[in-house]
Amino acid sequence: MAILDALPGVEVTVLVSNRQAVEYDADDEQQQSLAKHACPTSTKFIESIDDATFSIKLVPGRSYSQGYKKHALWFRVYIDGQHIESRVLKAKQRDTIDSKTVYDRESRQWKNHQLKFSAIRIGMVSCYFELT
């Protein structure tokens, strides 16, 4: 569960096949590259499971202070550096992102694609040396 010190009570959780994923912290170098952002940012890593579906749960929890009456939170979700979705949540609203909307040029329609891990392909690298 990603939690920012600047936003206590706001929780972001990744569910893999409807189970909370184990999260790993980014290393210092990755965290420093995020320091340039104007708003608080968090990066976590999770294990990829071939062809498993996943979702991202956004929860401004009870301990989060909403501040002004018309206050809202804007969540921008990136996966592997690619923007997936943005959501605005008000008051005690919760949301789950489980798909990405993509325009299909062939059918000329917008389609939802469920978030799913790709299969990891591990290849062999062949090396040889020629002795002369």
Side-chain angles (χ1 to χ4, degrees), residues 16 18 53 94:
V16 178
N18 294 319
T53 59
R94 299 168 173 236

Side-chain angles (χ1 to χ4, degrees), residues 55-129:
S55 59
I56 303 162
K57 190 166 123 181
L58 311 170
V59 180
R62 290 185 180 148
S63 62
Y64 175 67
S65 172
Q66 292 290 326
Y68 299 105
K69 268 186 184 182
K70 302 201 186 249
H71 181 82
L73 290 170
W74 180 26
F75 291 88
R76 289 186 295 177
V77 178
Y78 291 81
I79 298 174
D80 293 335
Q82 181 182 9
H83 179 258
I84 298 299
E85 186 73 49
S86 293
R87 300 281 169 92
V88 175
L89 300 182
K90 299 177 186 175
K92 295 180 176 55
Q93 189 178 10
R94 299 168 173 236
D95 203 354
T96 300
I97 297 170
D98 59 3
S99 63
K100 178 181 177 173
T101 305
V102 179
Y103 184 72
D104 183 353
R105 291 178 189 205
E106 190 174 306
S107 67
R108 296 183 180 178
Q109 293 180 347
W110 289 94
K111 295 184 177 183
N112 283 335
H113 293 279
Q114 190 169 23
L115 298 179
K116 187 176 183 181
F117 291 110
S118 298
I120 297 175
R121 289 176 276 177
I122 301 173
M124 292 184 84
V125 177
S126 298
C127 293
Y128 70 92
F129 295 93

